[in-house]
Amino acid sequence: MPSRGERPEDGAGPVPAESSTLHKEELSSKIKEQKVVVDELSNLKKNRKVYRQQQNSNIFFLADRTEMLSESKNTLDELRKEYQELENSEKTKIKK
């Protein structure tokens, strides 16, 4: 609990360890999900069709399999990088 009227959502105080842990767990689950997507796209036969869901709707459009695979790999790399940065920042906080 914040003291002296500070609220974490205002950005007035340091980020609580719970928030950092939750963000780390969320990133971890997203990484696992993205690994499954990359694996599934990698193992598809060449003649299979891939559809991309339009954001915030139930509409799907035909997409290029190789393009979707490369985008998914890039997303996975970005998530891993963000997770690593989060771990590194936690380690530097512990050292101080």
Side-chain angles (χ1 to χ4, degrees), residues 88-96:
N88 290 343
S89 69
E90 286 178 357
K91 287 179 184 177
T92 56
K93 285 180 185 177
I94 292 172
K95 288 180 181 178
K96 289 182 179 179

Side-chain angles (χ1 to χ4, degrees), residues 17-75:
E18 292 175 12
S19 174
S20 177
T21 306
L22 286 174
H23 184 62
K24 194 173 178 181
E25 288 175 6
E26 185 180 310
L27 270 177
S28 181
S29 68
K30 284 182 181 181
I31 288 171
K32 287 177 186 174
E33 181 182 313
Q34 201 62 32
K35 281 182 181 177
V36 171
V37 170
V38 169
D39 191 46
E40 290 291 332
L41 287 171
S42 300
N43 292 321
L44 277 180
K45 293 180 181 178
K46 303 287 183 202
N47 61 350
R48 293 292 185 180
K49 292 184 180 181
V50 176
Y51 294 87
R52 170 188 290 250
Q53 185 174 7
Q54 186 69 21
Q55 204 169 15
N56 299 324
S57 80
N58 291 327
I59 301 172
F60 292 84
F61 292 101
L62 188 61
D64 182 45
R65 186 184 64 83
T66 55
E67 192 175 301
M68 289 294 294
L69 179 59
S70 67
E71 284 180 24
S72 297
K73 284 181 179 179
N74 288 341
T75 304

